[in-house]
Amino acid sequence: MKIICGLGNPGRSYQHNRHNIGFVVLDALSSRWRASFSAAKFDAETAWANARGEKILLLKPQTFMNLSGTALGAAARFYKVAATDVLVVHDELDLPFGKIQLKQGGGTGGHNGLSSIREAWGELDFVRLRFGIGKPQEPNAKERVVGHVLGDFNPDEVAGLPDLIAKSCDVCEQWIRDGLQKTMNAFNRK
């Protein structure tokens, strides 16, 4: 069994924010796999799928970004899923828009969702699909960064999103099928 967790904030007002790309990718995966999200335990929307012969729990925490780890930690402990069998899809300021990178482990880089996972679950060795959103063009004041991540994608970015979301789904599927190293070799170099 594997868990794919998308990070985001619940509610319509956050729906198209850069910070919600984890939810967007999971919605695309659920559509691709014909899985339906429902309210469930763990303070998350969940959907079950079978992909490549593997049972997959899709998880969208509904606790807001800063408490995402509560839902993921509870689900991973309940189903006894190792950190290496968990993939977290999240926005990444340190990658330019259009760049997607798969990696395992690492720090939180100041990302509140990743910090919450570390605090609530005690793990950082999970796999991450980092979806580049770039940094704001203005000087890097904290309030400008917050406005950037909680802002909607601009029209040029929106035009590129369908291909990037499809590519993200492809990465998730190959990770399930071929494992981390082969998937990193296939996608991180492009």
Side-chain angles (χ1 to χ4, degrees), residues 5 7 72 86-90 114 117 126-130:
C5 176
L7 300 186
L72 177 55
V86 174
L87 188 151
V88 175
V89 182
H90 66 89
L114 298 178
I117 292 169
F126 51 88
V127 179
R128 301 135 187 248
L129 178 56
R130 303 166 71 215

Side-chain angles (χ1 to χ4, degrees), residues 34-94:
R34 293 180 175 85
S36 298
F37 279 100
S38 62
K41 52 188 169 183
F42 313 122
D43 289 321
E45 288 184 5
T46 60
W48 287 98
N50 285 302
R52 310 287 188 198
E54 183 89 42
K55 189 173 184 178
I56 309 294
L57 173 64
L58 299 176
L59 186 81
K60 295 192 306 185
Q62 299 297 294
T63 52
F64 289 91
M65 184 66 76
N66 295 357
L67 298 174
S68 299
T70 305
L72 177 55
R77 283 190 292 274
F78 182 84
Y79 293 111
K80 297 176 177 56
V81 177
T84 53
D85 287 326
V86 174
L87 188 151
V88 175
V89 182
H90 66 89
D91 59 301
E92 180 59 61
L93 278 167
D94 290 330

Side-chain angles (χ1 to χ4, degrees), residues 62-185:
Q62 299 297 294
T63 52
F64 289 91
M65 184 66 76
N66 295 357
L67 298 174
S68 299
T70 305
L72 177 55
R77 283 190 292 274
F78 182 84
Y79 293 111
K80 297 176 177 56
V81 177
T84 53
D85 287 326
V86 174
L87 188 151
V88 175
V89 182
H90 66 89
D91 59 301
E92 180 59 61
L93 278 167
D94 290 330
L95 291 176
F97 179 81
K99 177 110 170 122
I100 295 169
Q101 183 186 66
L102 190 68
K103 69 177 269 189
Q104 182 176 2
T108 66
H111 192 289
N112 290 335
L114 298 178
S115 295
S116 174
I117 292 169
R118 180 192 62 209
E119 291 166 18
W121 187 22
E123 289 285 350
L124 280 175
D125 203 30
F126 51 88
V127 179
R128 301 135 187 248
L129 178 56
R130 303 166 71 215
F131 192 105
I133 62 168
K135 291 186 178 175
Q137 300 300 315
E138 303 85 22
N140 205 11
K142 184 176 181 177
E143 55 275 359
R144 290 194 179 102
V145 169
V146 170
H148 181 70
V149 299
L150 291 178
D152 292 351
F153 288 100
N154 68 43
D156 290 337
E157 293 169 336
V158 169
L161 279 176
D163 288 342
L164 294 169
I165 292 165
K167 180 180 176 183
S168 297
C169 291
D170 293 344
V171 170
C172 293
E173 287 184 332
Q174 186 165 346
W175 171 72
I176 292 164
R177 183 182 66 239
D178 296 331
L180 178 67
Q181 195 60 52
K182 199 168 185 182
T183 308
M184 286 172 52
N185 290 342

